[in-house]
Amino acid sequence: MIQAFGLTSNPRKDLPPAVDDVSFEAHAGHVTALLGSTGAGKTTTLRLMLELQQGRGITYFRGRPLHRIAHPSREVGVLLGDVPGHPARTVRGHLRMLCAAAGVTVRRADEVLEVVGLVSLRDERLGTLSRGMDRRLGLACVLLSDPHTLVLDHPAEGLSAREIRWLHGMLRAHAVQGGTVLLTADDPKEAARSADRVVTLDQGRVVADQDATEFARTRLRPRVVVRSPHATRLAALLAKEARTAHRSVEVVREGGNRLSVYGGTCAEVGETAFRHGILVHQLADEIGDMGPGAGTDADETLPPETSPAPPVTHEPRATPKALAPDATLEDPGEAPQLPTPGATVAARTESGSDAQGPDRPRARPRTLDVLPSLPPPISIRSAPSPLRPLRYEIRRAAGIGTGFLVGAAVLVTSALTAVLLARVGHTPQARLLAAWPQQLPLPPAALGAGLLGALAFGDEFRHPALAADRGTVPRRLGLLVAKLVVAAATATTLAFLTIGCDAEMLYLVYGRELAQVPADWLSSSASWLGLVIGCAWAGVLAAGVFRSTTAGLAAVLAVPVAVVPLVHKALEGPSVRTAAGFPLRLRELLLMQWPFGGERYMVAAAHVLAQPVGSALVLSVTVLLCAYLLTTLRSRVR
């Protein structure tokens, strides 16, 4: 269940808080609706509950606040706004990426796609989905981890009438299986039909917390709907008889031949029409809109001489029947016959809540005759694995074509640059193979690796797929290590491909002379890999610290432009002592022999670190890593 106590948002300037001391409960096995007009504070309440907005108060999900839950996505499924995914990612690819983040098998993505009816659209891009399909995908993301509690902000917004009935059936099926459902709604009729309990908000305060039947009886205006070709004459007669009998009756012309009679009954309207010989095509009781002042008084009663509409109840259902989601929307002829809002339902007892406890479904579950089948529960949870962030990062990087396009652009630019440098001449062999002109601070491969590294964390903040349950990108060290590993592997692959392409182009255009391997290939290769990997790591860390891809790329460019001159200036002073013989002294200290000529590798690494660019990269990466760890610790303390 959900228990919210004293939720209060921080006021802005001289304005009152958007939410002021909101407290309520949402029981397991039931659907609870937060009802209110636009600006009543519904979304702010949800954000305070989910700790996405600073304020006062606390919310317990089955006895624990959200920040005390190890895996919030497994306990609470959240849908706020549109699906936070990259527009170029496919529907199935997005869900499979989230499967890796949640630690569930990729089969789960296909299961939820079948449930929400998006199997035929699994290869569509997120940017091409309509509003209704986006809400379906959001529900699929919510159900992916099989959470106990669903928190949905306006889940029916933008859906058709049939899709709304389908959605309410899904939420009802989740509640019947023992889950907790909390949703927001603007339409009181929708809240009365879909929820078991309605919490009404007005100007940031709770003005009513009622059972759905009580809400329909006391806070909605019963009305009689009349259709007649003589609607104008009938309206005048009803108003005249009400004045004569001193009864409070309001007759509203709805347009055409339709009337809405507030404060009357079907019998009274029918008798008036019969006495005056007026033909009536329709005569029915309905629940209308909220009456005047309905949002200000929790004990409001109906107008005088008004007979309340019969309470809306539900007939218990034994077993949920399977529903084909595709047929629900795509084939009207084969769509399941969902009950209409006025469907007959069985009366619900009033004495089941206290006897069974707050976490157990009460003895009067409100279920539909035909419910959609939910995805099977996840019976066995996978143990925490260090490979889970790595699988997520690989699927995130390979799910869109941006990385492949950047790599192709780097290879083409490097090959053309190498050919032009060879034609001009006066370029050392090492810089020629790296396509690194003297005028550029970094070669194209290093810039491309830095851009890919910046995208690795920058896209998380632009399209925060991992932030659905907490509102911000998680700063877990496992996620950072996975991004650094994938960035290093990508940069290494790009470095080797660049050298290979450049050498092949030089051989094709100018012959074997310019494509020969340099004599100092070992130290040059170490320097080359260190440069490319260092740029990639600098991009990852800078984008994670500053939450921007642009800031990550700027940090990569700042290394040769700003940091290298500072390091070079610090190293160019007179040297009294040198580090000559460092590998030999290290071997004497460790009392061991370097296998396979390890002294050469140590000397190569020392030469790389002694270079201004290498020292600048190491310094920059170290500073960015410390900044990232500092911001991580600060967020955890908060």
Side-chain angles (χ1 to χ4, degrees):
M1 64 178 299
I2 301 176
Q3 297 172 300
F5 301 103
L7 298 178
T8 305
S9 62
N10 294 332
R12 295 183 177 181
K13 298 182 180 180
D14 297 333
L15 300 177
V19 172
D20 188 6
D21 195 21
V22 171
S23 301
F24 64 92
E25 292 184 356
H27 293 275
H30 295 81
V31 178
T32 304
L34 280 179
L35 176 67
S37 59
T38 303
K42 305 183 296 298
T43 302
T44 304
T45 300
L46 296 186
R47 294 183 61 85
L48 289 172
M49 292 172 54
L50 300 171
E51 302 177 2
L52 307 182
Q53 183 172 331
Q54 294 184 358
R56 298 188 299 275
I58 192 170
T59 303
Y60 292 103
F61 297 90
R62 290 204 290 183
R64 292 179 298 172
L66 194 62
H67 62 271
R68 294 293 185 183
I69 301 176
H71 300 284
S73 61
R74 297 181 180 178
E75 176 65 29
V76 184
V78 180
L79 177 59
L80 300 177
D82 297 335
V83 176
H86 196 286
R89 202 178 301 277
T90 63
V91 171
R92 189 170 185 238
H94 182 76
L95 290 177
R96 288 168 69 92
M97 180 185 69
L98 295 182
C99 284
V104 298
T105 61
V106 293
R107 296 193 305 271
R108 185 70 175 179
D110 297 326
E111 291 174 356
V112 295
L113 280 177
E114 184 176 357
V115 168
V116 301
L118 291 179
V119 175
S120 60
L121 301 178
R122 60 185 177 183
D123 295 327
E124 295 293 327
R125 307 289 180 180
L126 299 188
T128 63
L129 296 181
S130 64
R131 176 64 175 173
M133 295 301 102
D134 184 85
R135 305 308 287 176
R136 284 167 155 245
L137 178 58
L139 184 60
C141 297
V142 168
L143 298 175
L144 197 63
S145 301
D146 191 23
H148 174 271
T149 303
L150 302 183
V151 178
L152 313 172
D153 186 22
H154 295 94
E157 184 179 359
L159 300 182
S160 64
R162 183 186 298 177
E163 288 176 316
I164 291 176
R165 292 196 299 269
W166 168 83
L167 173 64
H168 290 164
M170 289 287 297
L171 301 181
R172 177 62 53 195
H174 181 81
V176 166
Q177 294 183 2
T180 304
V181 179
L182 176 65
L183 57 90
T184 62
D186 294 329
D187 187 2
K189 294 181 289 184
E190 175 188 342
R193 287 195 299 262
S194 62
D196 298 302
R197 193 161 193 85
V198 181
V199 180
T200 307
L201 299 180
D202 184 50
Q203 296 182 358
R205 292 179 176 271
V206 176
V207 296
D209 189 350
Q210 302 169 292
D211 184 85
T213 304
E214 183 69 12
F215 172 80
R217 186 182 68 84
T218 61
R219 305 188 66 78
L220 295 182
R221 299 180 66 190
R223 66 181 178 184
V224 178
V225 175
V226 186
R227 292 186 182 274
S228 172
H230 308 288
T232 304
R233 181 184 172 198
L234 180 59
L237 292 172
L238 291 174
K240 179 179 179 180
E241 291 186 359
R243 290 193 299 269
T244 302
H246 300 286
R247 292 188 292 109
S248 176
V249 175
E250 179 184 0
V251 182
V252 179
R253 290 288 303 273
E254 301 289 351
N257 59 354
R258 188 172 185 268
L259 298 177
S260 292
V261 182
Y262 296 92
T265 63
C266 284
E268 295 170 351
V269 176
E271 290 175 0
T272 300
F274 178 76
R275 285 196 305 268
H276 296 86
I278 298 177
L279 178 64
V280 175
H281 291 164
Q282 181 188 9
L283 188 62
D285 285 319
E286 284 190 2
I287 297 296
D289 298 329
M290 300 183 72
T296 58
D297 186 4
D299 298 324
E300 178 192 358
T301 58
L302 296 175
E305 300 295 330
T306 302
S307 58
V312 179
T313 52
H314 282 261
E315 197 168 284
R317 172 186 55 81
T319 306
K321 299 180 181 179
L323 176 66
D326 291 331
T328 304
L329 296 179
E330 297 177 4
D331 191 353
E334 297 180 1
Q337 297 297 323
L338 293 177
T340 58
T344 304
V345 292
R348 299 183 291 180
T349 59
E350 296 287 346
S351 59
S353 58
D354 296 333
Q356 297 183 3
D359 279 344
R360 299 181 58 187
R362 292 183 287 180
R364 49 187 184 92
R366 181 182 176 202
T367 59
L368 300 175
D369 295 334
V370 179
L371 291 180
S373 58
L374 290 172
I378 304 175
S379 57
I380 300 177
R381 298 287 189 182
S382 60
S385 171
L387 297 179
R388 183 187 306 169
L390 187 60
R391 288 196 297 266
Y392 162 79
E393 181 60 22
I394 292 175
R395 289 175 183 163
R396 184 208 62 80
I400 56 178
T402 304
F404 301 101
L405 293 177
V406 171
V410 166
L411 295 180
V412 172
T413 304
S414 298
L416 295 178
T417 304
V419 171
L420 293 177
L421 290 178
R423 179 180 178 84
V424 174
H426 309 292
T427 302
Q429 180 73 6
R431 297 183 71 95
L432 185 63
L433 291 177
W436 190 354
Q438 296 285 352
Q439 295 78 14
L440 291 182
L442 288 175
L447 290 175
L451 177 59
L452 292 178
L455 288 172
F457 238 134
D459 278 349
E460 296 286 2
F461 295 98
R462 291 182 59 199
H463 312 286
L466 292 181
D469 55 346
R470 297 305 299 271
T472 183
V473 177
R475 292 182 172 273
R476 295 192 294 265
L477 294 182
L479 181 63
L480 174 63
V481 171
K483 290 185 177 296
L484 293 178
V485 169
V486 173
T490 304
T492 302
T493 303
L494 188 61
F496 278 111
L497 290 178
T498 299
I499 296 296
C501 290
D502 293 348
E504 188 66 23
M505 285 296 298
L506 292 174
Y507 173 75
L508 290 176
V509 177
Y510 299 109
R512 188 179 300 275
E513 180 182 358
L514 295 180
Q516 291 180 354
V517 178
D520 57 342
W521 65 271
L522 181 59
S523 59
S524 299
S525 300
S527 300
W528 175 242
L529 290 179
L531 174 66
V532 178
I533 294 176
C535 289
W537 283 0
V540 171
L541 293 171
V545 171
F546 300 106
R547 304 186 179 188
S548 171
T549 300
T550 306
L553 186 58
V556 174
L557 292 175
V559 172
V561 174
V563 183
V564 168
L566 294 177
V567 174
H568 185 73
K569 186 175 182 180
L571 295 177
E572 69 180 359
S575 176
V576 177
R577 291 182 176 87
T578 63
F582 172 74
L584 296 177
R585 290 192 295 272
L586 185 61
R587 183 185 63 183
E588 294 175 357
L589 178 64
L590 298 178
L591 300 178
M592 60 179 292
Q593 296 291 332
W594 292 105
F596 308 108
E599 291 87 352
R600 293 185 303 166
Y601 300 102
M602 288 294 299
V603 171
H607 281 310
V608 171
L609 294 179
Q611 294 177 0
V613 176
S615 302
L617 270 177
V618 172
L619 179 61
S620 300
V621 171
T622 303
V623 171
L624 290 173
L625 180 60
C626 293
Y628 184 89
L629 295 177
L630 179 62
T631 55
T632 301
L633 293 177
R634 185 179 62 179
S635 63
R636 290 185 178 181
V637 169
R638 286 182 178 178

